[in-house]
Amino acid sequence: MAFVKTVRNSLLAFIVLAAFAYQPALAADGAPSEQPAPAAAASQPTPAPAGGLDTSFACYQCHVKITPWITKTWLASKHAEKGIKCQDCHGNHDGGFDSPDFTPRPGPDKCSKCHPIRIKESLAGKHAGVTKCTSCHPRHTFSLRVARNPKICGTCHLGSAHVQSYWTSKMGVVYETEGAGFSATCQTCHMSDREHNVDSTLNNKDLMLKVCNTCHSASFAGKAMSSGSFKSHW
């Protein structure tokens, strides 16, 4: 019983001390003083991620909360690395979302400000008016790795026998097995030297033969093209 009484008294003493410890501080007039707000409560810009990219601008500070995937993908882009920000492509919606100063989905006219040569090439080919830059370059990352993947062409050309033949050809099998750099892709042949006018090889047999010669002998490529097997992949 003595042990129980000792424990009970110790517990009561602890409760009393705890109550005094949590009493608010008193001002000189005896009224409770206001506690300062925690530093974290102050509105501070979201810190830049590793790499030191600028994220202090208004678009990022808002969208990192409401559409975090967009800001994440932008951060991974060359645009972010080069200092191209949301407002450079979208303008701003200070005057409302229907304001002429705001472009929700920028088109080639916006891209041409920085990429005039590629836009001019693209508009000269059969992609003009059918696709946008973002049809091949995913929004906000504008990844070249994605744009150079032959599967991106399949998002529009999936029903084409020519495209289907690629995946069952040696080129397609090697690409699927070994990855980029070991085989030709749609872009290797139809966007040679990054030419964005895909008609350049489609309508020019001599140029197409030159492209084929980068991997095949002139005699093999010439024979294949003259026999009509050019319509399929080898």
Side-chain angles (χ1 to χ4, degrees), residues 70-225:
I70 289 178
T71 54
K72 179 181 179 180
T73 50
W74 173 78
L75 284 172
S77 72
K78 277 287 184 182
H79 281 178
E81 184 180 318
K82 298 293 185 180
I84 306 301
K85 300 175 183 177
C86 312
Q87 59 268 30
D88 295 316
C89 301
H90 294 282
N92 69 76
H93 50 72
D94 294 345
F97 288 102
D98 57 351
S99 167
D101 297 326
F102 178 61
T103 306
R105 293 187 177 183
D109 58 320
K110 293 286 187 180
C111 303
S112 65
K113 293 180 179 179
C114 295
H115 307 283
I117 295 175
R118 298 309 177 200
I119 298 302
K120 182 179 179 180
E121 292 171 348
S122 182
L123 293 177
K126 57 174 52 184
H127 281 167
V130 180
T131 64
K132 294 182 177 180
C133 305
T134 51
S135 300
C136 303
H137 299 271
R139 288 186 179 93
H140 299 108
T141 63
F142 298 98
S143 168
L144 286 175
R145 185 179 178 187
V146 171
R148 290 169 180 168
N149 187 325
K151 288 187 175 180
I152 201 69
C153 302
T155 60
C156 293
H157 299 283
L158 191 58
S160 165
H162 182 68
V163 172
Q164 291 300 317
S165 72
Y166 172 80
W167 295 108
T168 54
S169 71
K170 288 293 192 298
M171 289 186 286
V173 172
V174 171
Y175 179 87
E176 286 275 62
T177 306
E178 303 292 348
F182 288 89
S183 180
T185 64
C186 310
Q187 296 87 335
T188 306
C189 302
H190 299 296
M191 298 181 71
S192 178
D193 294 325
R194 300 190 297 167
E195 165 70 61
H196 278 51
N197 179 355
V198 295
D199 293 10
S200 60
T201 53
L202 293 176
N203 299 329
N204 188 326
K205 186 175 180 179
D206 291 336
L207 180 58
M208 188 72 251
L209 183 59
K210 183 180 178 181
V211 172
C212 296
N213 287 165
T214 59
C215 297
H216 303 281
S217 68
S219 59
F220 175 84
K223 186 181 295 184
M225 291 178 72

